[in-house]
């Protein structure tokens, strides 16, 4: 195997025997083959679109499959085997539709060069898949130029992140054909040897801009269904009674679980990136929603153990479950772990059936072990912050707020991530942190106080809600008559972990945001030459030392 898509890749080079995340050699290879075939599907889908043929089931399959290969989503070989077989079927569907139309229009057979991923046939068996996978992985062509490899992978990794947002939006009934089309076009662009470093760089940049549209779409989907998040003090303690914990990003699952658990008198808690659900007006009406339990994804081993009741993991981040709670763990959506009970997808628009989870909660009947007590503030997404813009403007103009620090992104296991806690603690009292994503767990329970009623930590929500900071930044740019975000008193110090953070980074770069600090390490998939471009052209900087970085950022560097 070879995988270097996340921040925890071994020695910041790549995982080669087993993933630091727990991904096996077998799953990694099956993921490689799935991505390879998605390129083949996209080859035909892109050609088909040019003659006005499209198939939404193909587009959605591409998006879901990309998402399935994101870090900490699915560790189950059998699921990948079935997705690979499905990819072969979808490829045939779109290939035939295109070829029929082509042959009719041209009265001849299609005679352009067709890549292997668009034609390779299989007996559908895992063994054959694994053999083929050996020849299609990231490093399978040793002669490929390292910068081109880097950009092709940067592209695929960005598309994976974007696919996650597209999938969440699709589940809520929101879609945009332009985004499906771009995903397929960009995937098939990675096959084309005529696309050199410059062309692939253009694709990467364009993906950042398209990624913004994906985040906007998801924001629309979430706020249309659940209202605009409101500033909310969330309970982080426990309440007497049987309970279910849900972790992940998928709000539709949360809605259906709350409905079903309410009828059964079972309490529900959020974990990890479900925390922001507590700020939506729609969810606040549920009396069985108790609050948030625990912290970022990587602490789940310890926290799921103590929860005492069943835990549902929807996308993502799942870590290898411990024996102490594996029997009360459930997965749903694209998430999977071999042997863990999976709650099937909705059929014909009917809600998912969480009855087995509810039954287990009632049978166990225990109250979760209390981890913490008190409340934390959340719900500062674009709508809520926009309502305070006049106040923010005044606070900036009177010098009560000197600078904003966007510290969005992800959390992770590395000890060096203490950097973000230390930075938050050392920020001067006249500064405000704008956060989103699970990165916030490094500092969201610190008491940093307020500035004239504005909390010094404004939490917009999930990783995709980083979109809120772009909306706010563009409003501040208008208010202050600045030429660009780069002229505002805003510094970006982003923590990344997996591919959804990569698309956010990519979006910031594509919008021309300069001086972004990135940590705790720079991506292994970026080659030295490509990194040089990011440093020279976009002034990307590694997060190094809190003191040095803080001094520089306070001076606008
Ligand atoms: Fe975190 Fe995981 Fe939300 Fe990521 S829970 S690390 S960028 O999946 O998505 O922020
Ligand atoms: Fe390694 Fe990250 Fe890939 Fe897992 S996702 S195998 S930790 S690089």
């Amino acid at each position: 195997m070879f995988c270097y898509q996340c921040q925890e890749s071994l020695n910041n080079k790549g995982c080669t025997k087993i993933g630091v995340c727990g991904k096996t050699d077998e799953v990694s290879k099956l993921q490689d083959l799935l991505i390879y075939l998605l390129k083949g599907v996209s080859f035909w889908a892109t050609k088909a679109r040019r003659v006005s043929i499209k198939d939404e089931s193909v587009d959605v399959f591409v998006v879901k499959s990309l998402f399935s290969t994101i870090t900490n989503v699915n560790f189950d070989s059998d699921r990948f085997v079935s997705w690979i077989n499905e990819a072969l079927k979808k490829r045939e569907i779109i290939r035939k539709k295109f070829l029929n139309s082509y042959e009719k229009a041209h009265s001849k057979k299609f005679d352009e060069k067709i890549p292997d991923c668009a034609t390779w046939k299989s007996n559908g068996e895992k063994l054959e898949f694994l053999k083929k996978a050996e020849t299609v992985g990231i490093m399978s062509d040793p002669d490929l130029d390292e910068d081109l490899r880097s950009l092709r992978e940067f592209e695929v990794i960005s598309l994976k992140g974007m696919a996650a947002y597209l999938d969440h939006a699709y589940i809520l009934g929101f879609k945009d054909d332009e985004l499906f089309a771009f995903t397929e076009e960009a995937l098939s662009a990675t096959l084309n040897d005529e696309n050199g470093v410059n062309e692939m760089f253009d694709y990467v940049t364009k993906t950042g801009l398209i990624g913004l549209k994906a985040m906007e779409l998801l924001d629309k989907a979430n706020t249309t269904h659940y209202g605009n998040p409101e500033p909310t003090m969330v309970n982080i303690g426990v309440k007497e009674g049987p309970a279910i914990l849900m972790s992940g990003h998928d709000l539709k699952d949360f809605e259906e679980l709350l409905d079903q658990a309410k009828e059964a008198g079972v309490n529900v808690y959020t974990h990890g990136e479900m925390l922001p659900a507590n700020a939506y007006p729609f969810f606040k009406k549920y009396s069985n929603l108790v609050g948030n339990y625990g912290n970022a994804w990587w602490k789940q081993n310890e926290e799921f153990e103590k929860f005492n009741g069943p835990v549902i993991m929807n996308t993502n981040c799942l870590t290898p479950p411990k024996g102490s709670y594996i029997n009360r763990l459930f997965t749903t959506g694209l998430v999977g772990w071999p042997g863990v009970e999976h709650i099937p997808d909705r059929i014909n628009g009917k809600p998912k059936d969480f009855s087995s989870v509810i039954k287990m909660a009632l049978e166990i009947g225990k109250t979760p072990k209390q981890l913490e007590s008190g409340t934390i503030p959340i719900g500062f997404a674009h709508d809520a912050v926009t309502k305070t813009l006049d106040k923010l403007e005044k606070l900036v103009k009177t010098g009560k707020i000197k600078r904003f620090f966007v510290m969005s992104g992800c959390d992770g296991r590395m000890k060096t991530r203490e950097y973000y806690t230390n930075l938050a603690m050392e920020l001067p009292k006249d500064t405000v942190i704008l956060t989103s994503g699970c990165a916030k767990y490094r500092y969201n329970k610190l008491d940093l106080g307020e500035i004239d009623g504005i909390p010094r930590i404004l939490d917009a929500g999930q990783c995709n809600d980083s979109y809120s900071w772009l909306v706010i930044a563009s409003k501040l740019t208008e208010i202050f008559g600045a030429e660009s975000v780069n002229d505002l008193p805003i510094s970006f110090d982003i923590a990344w972990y997996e591919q959804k953070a990569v698309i956010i980074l990519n979006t910031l770069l594509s919008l021309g945001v300069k001086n972004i600090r990135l940590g705790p390490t720079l991506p292994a998939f970026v080659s030295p030459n490509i990194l040089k471009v990011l440093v020279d052209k976009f002034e990307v900087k590694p997060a190094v030392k809190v003191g040095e970085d803080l001094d520089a950022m306070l001076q606008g560097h």
Side-chain angles (χ1 to χ4, degrees), residues 67 70-73 164-165 168 247-249 271-274 296-298 313 315-318 409-412 436-441 461-464 495-502 504:
F67 191 0
I70 283 185
T71 306
N72 293 341
V73 173
Y165 302 145
H168 291 313
S247 192
H249 296 73
H271 178 269
E273 278 280 76
M274 289 302 290
W297 63 273
W298 62 277
M313 196 76 214
T315 49
N316 42 326
C317 287
L318 174 67
C410 329
D411 198 10
S436 49
C438 57
K440 61 172 152 272
Y441 282 106
Q462 296 183 344
C463 37
N464 44 289
W496 82 286
Y497 170 63
E498 46 93 333
Q499 301 78 58
K500 286 185 276 173
V502 174
I504 295 167

Side-chain angles (χ1 to χ4, degrees), residues 328-343:
R328 41 184 180 84
L329 180 66
F330 295 79
T331 59
T332 192
L334 297 170
V335 183
W337 185 270
V340 164
E341 183 173 335
H342 187 76
I343 309 291

Side-chain angles (χ1 to χ4, degrees), residues 25-145:
D25 173 80
E26 183 173 277
V27 167
S28 185
K29 286 177 178 158
L30 293 170
Q31 289 184 350
D32 286 346
L33 183 61
L34 181 58
I35 294 290
Y36 182 70
L37 292 172
L38 293 180
K39 292 179 183 177
V41 174
S42 299
F43 172 84
W44 294 114
T46 303
K47 295 219 170 294
R49 258 206 176 71
R50 289 194 192 124
V51 290
S52 305
I53 294 172
K54 50 190 180 186
D55 183 324
E56 192 172 302
S57 77
V58 170
D59 304 332
V60 174
F61 176 76
V62 169
V63 160
K64 284 191 180 290
S65 302
L66 280 169
F67 191 0
S68 74
T69 67
I70 283 185
T71 306
N72 293 341
V73 173
N74 200 305
F75 298 82
D76 188 348
S77 292
D78 292 347
R79 297 275 296 283
F80 284 102
V81 167
S82 74
W83 282 323
I84 289 169
N85 276 309
E86 188 62 22
L88 291 164
K89 281 190 203 143
K90 291 281 189 272
R91 195 188 66 188
E92 278 317 283
I93 292 173
I94 195 71
R95 184 182 76 95
K96 281 189 181 146
K97 282 189 181 179
F98 167 71
L99 288 180
N100 283 342
S101 148
Y102 180 93
E103 283 162 18
K104 264 190 209 146
H106 296 83
S107 306
K108 63 165 191 166
K109 294 262 181 228
F110 180 73
D111 54 5
E112 287 173 28
K113 196 175 157 208
I114 306 172
D116 175 69
C117 58
T119 57
W120 179 72
K121 291 210 165 45
S122 157
N123 62 13
E125 299 291 328
K126 182 159 88 178
L127 271 181
E128 196 191 11
F129 290 164
L130 289 170
K131 206 167 147 222
K132 179 70 177 172
E134 299 275 0
T135 67
V136 303
I138 297 166
M139 294 296 179
S140 59
D141 176 1
D143 300 327
L144 183 65
D145 175 75

